[in-house]
Amino acid sequence: MSLRRVRFLGLLLLLSLPSALFAGWSSLGAMPEPQRQERALVFRNAQGTVVVSLLSPEIVRVRFSPTQDLGRDHSYAVVNRDFGDPRASFRVAADRSVVTTPSLTVTIRHHPFRLVITDAKGEVRDQDDADRGIAFAGATVQVSKRRLENDHVYGFGEKAGRLDKRGWGLG
């Protein structure tokens, strides 16, 4: 086999690697207009269910399940369940929903489903990656975010190592 052919095959493998890494993953795709349930918006389509809840003026909780039922709410990350009135206003349209509190604005694009959270000054605090957003393969869920220069990533459950995971293969 010639060196030119080996280089070509190597380049072809590198170009196909990103699609191989995401093979088997399904995107949420488009979501119809949500249903309002108290302090939350509930989105459902054939791919799954997303609930965007306002816990306080500063806390937004996003839950996803690739089924129609989210199952038992057993998050230990949020111990206090009553932070008081989030003073949220909800606007729902065919293409997007906007939830506003005195501290945050959550803009949810329906087609494809993507979230952007800005603070009271309009600065982006959290944003889904424009190309990927929420995706799943079976029971495994992945959320791709656009990270800012000063963002840090903490936790990952029972993983060993330093608490701040920035730079641990995360870019």
Side-chain angles (χ1 to χ4, degrees), residues 48-157:
T49 303
V50 178
V51 179
V52 179
S53 305
L54 276 291
L55 302 181
S56 80
E58 299 85 18
I59 302 173
V60 178
R61 183 176 187 203
V62 180
R63 295 180 70 202
F64 166 74
S65 173
T67 67
Q68 294 299 308
D69 179 24
L70 290 175
R72 184 172 69 93
D73 182 2
H74 60 275
S75 175
Y76 302 107
V78 180
V79 177
N80 185 357
R81 302 279 184 207
D82 186 13
F83 292 98
D85 183 3
R87 298 179 309 220
S89 66
F90 295 80
R91 289 189 327 257
V92 175
D95 65 333
R96 73 183 57 234
S97 297
V98 179
V99 183
T100 306
T101 74
S103 302
L104 302 172
T105 298
V106 182
T107 304
I108 307 158
R109 193 174 75 201
H110 301 175
H111 311 282
F113 187 86
R114 301 288 187 267
L115 283 103
V116 176
I117 301 173
T118 56
D119 63 16
K121 296 176 187 174
E123 294 180 23
V124 173
R125 294 297 173 200
D126 183 72
Q127 183 173 4
D128 287 350
D129 178 81
D131 295 327
R132 293 187 222 141
I134 298 173
F136 61 95
T140 303
V141 177
Q142 152 182 309
V143 181
S144 297
K145 297 289 187 179
R146 187 184 128 231
R147 288 186 315 159
L148 303 174
E149 187 65 33
N150 60 351
D151 285 347
H152 295 272
V153 179
Y154 296 99
F156 295 146

